[in-house]
Amino acid sequence: MNPVSYQRASSLTEAVRMAGTSRLLGGGTNLVDLMRKGVERPSLLTDVTALSAAIEETEAGGLLIGAAARNSSVAAHPLVRTRYPMLSRAILAGASAQVRNMATVGGNLMQRTRCLYFADVAGSRCNKREPGSGCDAAGGFNRYHAIVGASSACTATHPSDMCVALAALDASVRIVGPAGERTVPLVDFHRLPSDRPELETVLEPGEVIEAVEIPASPFAARSGYRKVRDRASYAFALVSVAAELTLREGRIDEIRIAFGGIAPKPWRAYRAEAALRGSGPSGEAFLAAAALELADAAPLAGNAFKIELAKRTLGAVLTDLTGDDR
Amino acid sequence: MAIRVNGTEVASPDDARVSLLDHLREGLHLTGTKVGCNQGACGACTVLLDGQRVLSCLTLAVQADGREVTTIEGLAEGDGLHPLQGAFIEHDGFQCGYCTPGQICAASAMLRELAEGVPSYVTADLAQERILLSREEIRERMSGNLCRCGAHNGIVDAIFQVATEKAA
Ligand SMILES: Cc1cc2nc3c(=O)[nH]c(=O)nc-3n(C[C@H](O)[C@H](O)[C@H](O)COP(=O)(O)OP(=O)(O)OC[C@H]3O[C@@H](n4cnc5c(N)ncnc54)[C@H](O)[C@@H]3O)c2cc1C
Ligand code: FES
Ligand code: FES
């Protein structure tokens, strides 16, 4: 690991002042690992875990979650468990209890891909790590890679479970920088790679994530998160689905769906949502909507199975959510 | 600044690169905490930070400044065994013992999380305040600690026993 200095920001203002000349450090579960691997080489770290970790109701009946809130605190919070159970479930599907105790909400949003070639500084080419160097995943081990939204430069996936639920919940990200404060919808926070895979989010240098805001949601009763992976726990998603809906007179009224594990960012399934809105719930309708969403899927040699897996996972989740026992 | 390790104040390292794991083992010679993968994937390095289970390999020692660290050496009170240590012996919760300090530190925090009603991915109803203890719950909650000797059945039995004794 390169030599590095360490400082703590005691307030948001201080963090913004320090952000321009240093790298922010949350729980360290991603950054410290990548520093040890030589992927990240900051010379100065600013610990931002003293920023707000509060989880509180907004006036509009939503929820505001401070960037320093630990993943475990969010998942266990009574308001999250009762009003946004899908978010609790998604966070609890990720990593281990130890990692969730350390990981912050800001760090979770900003975590980098788990593509093996990205992490292998000594042996692999990677356009994300070293722009223009090439991509060894394209002809290599790409079981975990993207089937939608990728580019010829990069097919790495965004690994977060939490962000998939936040995408379906219409959450937004509050950002503070030298020029002031702005709010970005979570679905626009992460970028698709195109020919610049090293640019992963819309966060500008010197900006700090302050909080995540979730609007009030009428969906709690019919919402869920399901993750399919290579082992039963403590593994990244092959495919995951966050979905929530309401029914009216036996038909789907409102519906929001997001996929994880299949794209470079949390993948909000607008096409599938539009196809299902107003329709009667049935296995055929669910699969047809999923097929429509994935019509442009461009799988690699090792991950074509994800198309069928994503369709069936969505079908299973929606069948469960539209059942009578909800 | 200083870190409290098992009740004693110790200096944090000057070099910010030093992980809490290396500081415990190399700096303080507390070698109970083990180095496994050194990248967050195995749980062998689990310690308690202000009572919460964390991975010391992904924690910089300077991040622990001003906080309380408990390692396997500080878990039991006095010379006796911690109830989990006794139960691991009784149920063959280990073979080589390399993962054991991490397993036991993680399990001690897990028992407190259970008592506080913290849910897991396999908790059927997330709104419920009391967690129904089951082997499935223990397995999911302990999934961050791998055992390459495959002693998991004994580990789950040991934790189950202590959890039920505690609840009784
Ligand atoms: C073994 C292992 C398994 C895992 N499995 C899963 C999984 O199954 N699912 C899943 O979703 N995740 C998983 N994770 C990833 C984990 O969720 C992330 O590492 C974690 O959320 C990152 O949060 P952090 O606070 O530790 O971030 P850090 O490592 O501290 O920081 C990550 C990035 O965020 C930036 N950052 C931090 N705070 C802010 C802020 N306030 N404003 C702007 N930038 C900020 C940092 O500069 C850095 O670039 C796993 C991690 C490990 C180690
Ligand atoms: S050594 Fe820390 S998780 Fe493996
Ligand atoms: S007892 Fe050998 S690794 Fe667990």
Side-chain angles (χ1 to χ4, degrees):
Chain A
M1 199 188 287
N2 276 18
V4 68
S5 307
Y6 170 91
Q7 60 188 9
R8 290 182 180 180
S10 57
S11 67
L12 184 59
T13 324
E14 200 172 52
V16 171
R17 187 160 49 72
M18 293 171 163
T21 51
S22 66
R23 219 28 218 287
L24 305 183
L25 179 69
T29 59
N30 191 223
L31 185 53
V32 170
D33 186 31
L34 291 175
M35 283 164 62
R36 191 169 289 142
K37 293 186 164 103
V39 176
E40 304 259 24
R41 298 162 180 275
S43 54
L44 177 58
L45 294 173
T46 299
D47 188 326
V48 289
T49 53
L51 300 195
S52 172
I55 301 171
E56 47 198 12
E57 259 189 294
T58 61
E59 273 172 25
L63 213 58
L64 190 69
I65 304 174
R70 306 285 174 173
N71 286 192
S72 50
S73 313
V74 180
H77 196 280
L79 285 178
V80 180
R81 285 160 71 175
T82 49
R83 297 189 191 169
Y84 309 96
M86 177 173 81
L87 178 59
S88 280
R89 185 85 64 195
I91 294 173
L92 294 169
S96 65
Q98 287 95 315
V99 174
R100 295 191 297 269
N101 276 338
M102 302 166 73
T104 61
V105 166
N108 192 314
L109 256 67
M110 294 296 291
Q111 66 173 300
R112 310 199 65 189
T113 185
R114 307 303 289 202
C115 172
L116 297 173
Y117 303 99
F118 171 71
D120 178 27
V121 174
S124 305
R125 297 176 304 155
C126 171
N127 286 323
K128 188 187 273 302
R129 174 165 39 76
E130 211 182 309
S133 64
C135 169
D136 278 336
F141 180 78
N142 46 40
R143 178 175 173 76
Y144 285 91
H145 289 67
I147 54 171
V148 289
S151 71
S152 57
C154 183
T155 59
T157 49
H158 191 264
S160 170
D161 289 292
M162 182 187 86
C163 290
V164 179
L166 290 176
L169 286 166
D170 268 347
S172 51
V173 186
R174 273 202 204 171
I175 298 168
V176 181
E181 180 164 329
R182 63 191 180 115
T183 299
V184 177
L186 185 115
V187 289
D188 299 329
F189 182 77
H190 299 96
R191 298 171 184 248
L192 292 178
S194 73
D195 56 352
R196 297 291 303 277
E198 74 280 14
L199 299 178
E200 293 166 356
T201 70
V202 298
L203 202 73
E204 298 287 340
E207 285 188 319
V208 179
I209 299 170
E210 177 189 4
V212 166
E213 190 172 347
I214 315 175
S217 161
F219 298 104
R222 294 186 191 271
S223 73
Y225 187 79
R226 185 148 167 187
K227 181 174 180 180
V228 185
R229 40 191 156 170
D230 277 331
R231 58 182 187 199
S233 184
Y234 205 17
F236 287 93
L238 288 165
V239 166
S240 70
V241 169
E244 51 180 17
L245 54 89
T246 51
L247 293 177
R248 194 158 67 187
E249 289 158 14
R251 297 191 161 266
I252 292 174
D253 190 23
E254 260 312 310
I255 181 162
R256 297 184 198 151
I257 302 166
F259 283 103
I262 65 165
K265 61 185 268 186
W267 192 258
R268 182 72 184 262
Y270 291 112
R271 280 197 252 175
E273 292 173 11
L276 288 168
R277 215 166 274 131
S279 75
S282 74
E284 296 80 64
F286 301 151
L287 290 182
L292 188 70
E293 184 66 44
L294 300 172
D296 311 328
L300 303 159
N303 67 7
F305 73 94
K306 280 191 178 181
I307 298 178
E308 192 59 26
L309 187 60
K311 287 183 193 167
R312 293 190 192 194
T313 309
L314 180 64
V317 169
L318 295 182
T319 301
D320 181 34
L321 295 185
T322 50
D324 291 336
D325 50 344
R326 286 270 167 175
Chain B
M1 284 284 264
I3 312 172
R4 268 189 96 75
V5 179
N6 300 330
T8 307
E9 295 252 316
V10 301
S12 56
D14 295 329
D15 189 337
R17 284 177 294 183
V18 177
S19 67
L20 179 59
L21 173 60
D22 285 345
H23 191 53
L24 290 170
R25 289 181 55 86
E26 310 299 331
L28 307 173
H29 304 294
L30 289 170
T31 52
T33 307
K34 297 294 183 253
V35 195
C37 63
N38 215 21
Q39 55 179 353
C42 76
C45 65
T46 303
V47 299
L48 308 183
L49 187 57
D50 291 338
Q52 305 263 350
R53 45 177 165 164
V54 300
L55 300 176
S56 60
C57 70
L58 294 185
T59 305
L60 298 175
V62 287
Q63 287 175 286
D65 255 343
R67 304 174 72 182
E68 174 91 40
V69 176
T70 307
T71 69
I72 189 72
E73 289 92 343
L75 206 61
E77 280 174 35
D79 289 336
L81 292 178
H82 185 279
L84 280 164
Q85 290 173 315
F88 268 61
I89 295 172
E90 189 180 327
H91 291 278
D92 288 330
F94 52 85
Q95 284 184 33
C96 77
Y98 199 81
C99 70
T100 314
Q103 299 276 5
I104 291 179
C105 283
S108 73
M110 192 214 81
L111 292 178
R112 205 206 46 200
E113 291 160 14
L114 269 178
E116 288 172 356
V118 171
S120 85
Y121 184 64
V122 300
T123 305
D125 177 8
L126 293 175
Q128 77 192 29
E129 281 164 23
R130 279 200 57 212
I131 306 297
L132 214 59
L133 185 67
S134 66
R135 284 185 159 71
E136 195 196 4
E137 279 282 1
I138 294 176
R139 274 195 290 270
E140 166 59 26
R141 288 163 190 268
M142 290 297 293
S143 71
N145 292 80
L146 306 188
C147 173
R148 51 160 290 178
C149 296
H152 290 105
N153 289 335
I155 292 169
V156 171
D157 288 346
I159 297 172
F160 195 82
Q161 180 191 303
V162 178
T164 30
E165 281 168 2
K166 246 190 145 164

